Amino acid sequence: MKQSVKMIVGNWKMNGVSAALAQAEAIRDAVGTTEQGCRVVLCPPATLIDRMQSALTGSGVAVGGQDCHEKPAGAFTGSVSAEMLADAGATVVILGHSERRSAFGETDADVAAKVEAAIAAGLEPIVCVGETLQQRESGDAIAVVSGQVAGSLPSSLAERDFAVAYEPVWAIGTGLTPTLDQIAEVHAAVRAAIVAKLGDGARTAPILYGGSVKPDNARDILATPEVGGALVGGASLKAEEFMPIVNAAA
């Protein structure tokens, strides 16, 4: 596994039609004129992956998916396989996002199976973990997140490129952000859980922070120990908001 520079990932969620490609192109143009001190990935809806990849070919911006099915093919109406994402031009895929875990009932075992599918298709997985507000307030945040790491990362990830994204559920889209000390504490626990599961070879896997990352807090968050990048939601939809975050990592 290679030592990674900071990794800034934009998760567009269920946002974006053809007109939104102009924002991706603006991000492409801006990244092309800045120091290449970080990796930049945009994860649009599946309907835009092929067109976005065409628009970003040759640039410093990669394209990823937001989820994949654990099976390579079959009678799973409405689902998208990892192979399909790769065929459309994706090189990365977000798995186990809290919105998938809560709204679709995905378990750690489900996420681990999807990671295996991503590996088989040649995609780099970004595996999401995080606690709810109730779990945070009850003092269970570290145990919950460490357990999710152990259950969601299959042993086949050892020596492969992957990332883990810590996203406190209570901070996603709420404007709330943990303190820098809280972020550092959880990221240290995530690192320990990764190494316990996969060994020292996984010590350089980036741990991204996600949860109301904005231009005005990005630099401090990215300077926090064990923060290897950011998983950015709403602020990634517009170049004028996303690029200050990218520049803070460069």
Side-chain angles (χ1 to χ4, degrees):
M1 177 177 294
K2 61 180 180 292
Q3 175 69 47
S4 296
V5 295
K6 300 287 189 187
M7 185 178 188
I8 307 298
V9 181
N11 177 15
W12 282 20
K13 305 187 180 185
M14 197 175 74
N15 297 290
V17 291
S18 297
L21 290 172
Q23 292 299 321
E25 291 166 352
I27 292 168
R28 172 201 66 195
D29 294 344
V31 168
T33 61
T34 60
E35 292 269 335
Q36 288 302 303
C38 67
R39 296 176 63 196
V40 182
V41 183
L42 293 178
C43 298
T47 52
L48 288 181
I49 289 175
D50 179 71
R51 283 174 286 172
M52 185 176 287
Q53 172 57 27
S54 294
L56 302 182
T57 296
S59 75
V61 185
V63 178
Q66 298 176 14
D67 181 47
C68 70
H69 197 277
E70 65 185 70
K71 301 292 186 183
F76 304 104
T77 301
S79 296
V80 177
S81 72
E83 183 179 5
M84 290 172 179
L85 294 179
D87 184 59
T91 56
V92 173
V93 61
I94 298 168
L95 298 172
H97 192 280
S98 64
E99 292 161 2
R100 298 292 310 179
R101 291 178 185 264
S102 62
F104 297 90
E106 290 186 5
T107 64
D108 291 342
D110 293 331
V111 177
K114 291 184 174 189
V115 173
E116 296 274 23
I119 292 171
L123 297 175
E124 179 180 350
I126 299 172
V127 183
C128 300
V129 298
E131 83 281 4
T132 64
L133 183 59
Q134 180 180 5
Q135 291 165 335
R136 161 65 61 177
E137 292 180 338
S138 64
D140 295 328
I142 298 300
V144 167
V145 171
S146 297
Q148 288 175 339
V149 171
S152 302
L153 302 184
S155 57
S156 55
L157 271 180
E159 307 303 327
R160 294 182 180 273
D161 290 331
F162 72 95
V164 172
Y166 166 57
E167 38 162 29
V169 178
W170 50 274
I172 299 172
T174 63
L176 301 173
T177 308
T179 66
L180 297 179
D181 286 343
Q182 288 174 325
I183 294 172
E185 179 188 31
V186 177
H187 277 238
V190 170
R191 175 65 66 204
I194 292 172
V195 172
K197 181 65 182 283
L198 301 176
D200 281 340
R203 196 171 289 279
T204 58
I207 304 172
L208 317 182
Y209 171 77
S212 296
V213 180
K214 303 173 182 176
D216 61 0
N217 64 19
R219 193 168 297 279
D220 287 340
I221 290 173
L222 290 167
T224 302
E226 286 290 11
V227 174
L231 180 60
V232 185
S236 68
L237 294 172
K238 293 188 179 298
E240 63 187 18
E241 295 183 35
F242 190 56
M243 282 312 302
I245 299 173
V246 171
N247 293 334

